[in-house]
Amino acid sequence: MSVAPSLAGAAWLREGPAAEVLSLLDRDGEEARVVGGAVRNALMGLPVGEIDIATTALPETVMARGRAAGFKTVPTGIEHGTVTLVIDGQPVEVTTLRQDVETYGRKAKVAFGRDWAGDAARRDFTINALSVAPDGTVHDTVGGLADIAARRVRFIGDPATRLAEDYLRILRFFRIHAAFGAGDLDRPALLACIAAREGLAALSAERIRMEMLKLMVAPGAPDALVAMDDGGLLVRILGGVAYHGALAAMIEVERLLGLDPDPIRRLGALAVAVPEDARRLAQRLRLSNAEAKRLDAMGHRWWRLKDMDEATARRRLYRIGPECYHERLLLAWARAGRGADPGRWRDFVTLPQRWQAPEFPLKAADFIARGVAEGPDLGRVLALAEDAWLAADFPADPVAVATIADESLARLRRDAKSG
Ligand code: ATP
Ligand code: MG
């Protein structure tokens, strides 16, 4: 074990839900520590998200102590030793120390233990295997501190062996490096991931989804995705072509517009050119309906939002609505290439704030009054009139609107005769 820095000053360790759980479990012959991502982030000076706690106490003891303290206790994964305690509405996951006895693919047979080094050793990367005791002492049995200092993402043990235990670790390697690493990917790990690529086929869509969406918004995403593509990994995830230039351009568009990194929008830039791409990704990454709809909005004839004049932009906005317009426009911008003038694109982006589409002023009744019978002709003439109204740039003047109605009706009659 190396000499470790202390996290004794960290607010999330001294007070709040995690501190309460630690003081409950780290006594009377049991130990408890914060483990995994929270320790890594704190040591890197990054915001601490969810706090996971590991303990020597058996799950029934965790449940009993939690109940006695008046916390809500939920046996979220009790068969692998995980109990969730809810304190002031905040869930804290507590997992009893375990060691793998045997592994079959990703399903590990688990025995509970009191061995902190064993628990660390079954985690994926050295930087994810640190733990911190309630007094702030950081424990490192795998060389994680040195790797944190070097921002090096390294498997614990032999990469090929660790990948064969769980092929999700292929994606986690690129994701964790993109989020927390610096410099080149660890070479032995990269080569092992490439060699293990067929293993990706065995992963569930839900697990792929989680890692890929986190990867999309990580600071190092563009380079990590190129490396995945070069290694023949990305095509196995996306099932199609990756547009790395468009992703880089989309990240720049987000920056210019002050938008938060958005995993779905970035995914669209990376991998959606036609609606089929959107459908395939929705399925492969088990996207929600709302997410799938956004990708579809991007994939559908986005190139028509290029090289528009303002009147054309208004017509397109009217036709597809502000949400779809926004997604599709950003994609068109990201795909526009180097010549794109940001000022002009920005004007198109802000169009929905400057201009709201008026309601189409003509109704079925206007044509019934002009002698059109209910039926397909009514729909046809309304469509013709709407086209003409758009082509005239949304006139509101009643005389102009009546002229459009008359002319559209004349056109309908002409078309009926000739065709
Ligand atoms: P994030 O901040 O993105 O949540 P994290 O490190 O907390 O990052 P999680 O997926 O929440 O990542 O996992 C929590 C911890 O569990 C990891 O830090 C790691 O120690 C361990 N872990 C997660 N997935 C695996 C895996 N597939 N194999 C081995 N250990 C894993
Ligand atoms: Mg986490």
Side-chain angles (χ1 to χ4, degrees):
M1 201 186 297
S2 55
V3 180
S6 170
L7 287 173
W12 54 269
L13 196 58
R14 286 207 324 261
E15 56 208 46
E20 292 204 43
V21 176
L22 287 173
S23 75
L24 190 67
L25 297 175
D26 193 69
R27 67 156 106 112
D28 301 330
E30 303 296 354
E31 272 186 86
R33 298 179 191 171
V34 174
V35 291
V39 187
R40 175 199 64 216
N41 286 19
L43 291 169
M44 287 186 162
L46 298 170
V48 169
E50 352 155 280
I51 298 176
D52 297 323
I53 288 176
T55 181
T56 56
L58 291 174
E60 4 351 328
T61 310
V62 176
M63 296 281 283
R65 288 195 190 182
R67 270 195 302 266
F71 302 145
K72 191 176 164 200
T73 58
V74 191
T76 35
I78 194 126
E79 67 283 5
H80 13 80
T82 304
V83 171
T84 301
L85 301 182
V86 186
I87 296 116
D88 302 330
Q90 284 196 61
V92 177
E93 270 201 1
V94 180
T95 304
T96 301
L97 292 186
R98 48 205 169 160
Q99 284 118 299
D100 289 349
V101 179
E102 291 167 76
T103 48
Y104 309 97
R106 70 164 277 248
K107 288 260 182 300
K109 200 177 154 201
V110 166
F112 297 125
R114 303 186 66 87
D115 173 10
W116 288 97
D119 186 76
R122 62 189 294 287
R123 296 175 182 274
D124 44 13
F125 307 106
T126 59
I127 64 170
N128 284 351
L130 299 161
S131 60
V132 60
D135 69 357
T137 308
V138 177
H139 295 270
D140 176 16
T141 50
V142 295
L145 284 167
D147 286 338
I148 281 189
R151 307 248 152 182
R152 195 163 49 214
V153 178
R154 238 176 7 107
F155 279 101
I156 299 167
D158 170 53
T161 310
R162 303 310 311 281
L163 289 172
E165 290 166 5
D166 180 2
Y167 289 110
L168 188 71
R169 291 174 188 160
I170 297 175
L171 299 184
R172 287 182 60 84
F173 172 64
F174 291 97
R175 193 268 281 189
I176 298 283
H177 180 88
F180 308 105
D184 290 345
L185 291 154
D186 180 62
R187 171 99 19 206
L190 174 62
L191 295 179
C193 286
I194 294 171
R197 59 182 178 262
E198 297 300 343
L200 290 172
L203 298 174
S204 72
E206 285 85 354
R207 298 184 87 211
I208 296 176
R209 168 205 163 84
M210 271 214 295
E211 294 302 327
M212 284 306 288
L213 294 190
K214 281 186 178 177
L215 169 59
M216 292 312 301
V217 296
D223 288 347
L225 288 160
V226 167
M228 287 174 74
D229 211 359
D230 290 348
L233 298 164
L234 195 56
V235 67
R236 285 173 161 78
I237 298 295
L238 303 176
V241 180
Y243 305 90
H244 296 284
L247 173 64
M250 184 63 96
I251 292 170
E252 179 62 10
V253 167
E254 283 178 345
R255 197 186 62 77
L256 285 170
L257 295 176
L259 298 172
D260 286 335
D262 182 306
I264 298 298
R265 184 184 298 133
R266 289 183 175 193
L267 184 65
L270 179 72
V272 175
V274 292
E276 192 274 326
D277 291 324
R279 275 194 294 277
R280 176 167 28 76
L281 289 169
Q283 196 201 342
R284 284 175 166 247
L285 301 181
R286 184 105 355 127
L287 300 183
S288 71
N289 289 341
E291 289 164 343
K293 209 173 138 202
R294 288 184 62 199
L295 272 194
D296 186 67
M298 298 176 89
H300 201 78
R301 299 204 293 179
W302 48 271
W303 54 87
R304 296 186 78 218
L305 300 191
K306 233 184 115 171
D307 300 325
M308 298 181 289
D309 53 33
E310 180 106 359
T312 307
R314 280 196 291 268
R315 280 199 297 279
R316 305 262 198 264
L317 171 55
Y318 172 86
R319 290 279 196 204
I320 65 184
E323 285 90 21
C324 183
Y325 172 89
H326 185 74
E327 302 292 352
R328 203 175 291 175
L329 186 71
L330 296 194
L331 185 68
W333 183 358
R335 292 264 162 80
R338 289 183 187 284
D341 166 13
R344 230 180 117 56
W345 281 102
R346 201 190 282 269
D347 286 345
F348 288 123
V349 173
T350 55
L351 178 62
Q353 286 131 57
R354 286 179 283 118
W355 179 83
Q356 234 199 329
E359 206 188 318
F360 179 45
L362 288 165
K363 302 275 169 283
D366 296 303
F367 292 99
I368 293 170
R370 283 172 170 80
V372 180
E374 289 197 41
D377 270 358
L378 200 51
R380 253 176 241 137
V381 74
L382 275 164
L384 287 171
E386 192 175 23
D387 289 347
W389 178 70
L390 288 178
D393 206 13
F394 308 91
D397 166 41
V399 179
V401 170
T403 307
I404 285 172
D406 294 339
E407 286 176 0
S408 301
L409 185 55
R411 168 113 188 257
L412 179 81
R413 301 257 143 91
R414 250 192 344 263
D415 288 354
K417 252 185 231 149
S418 64

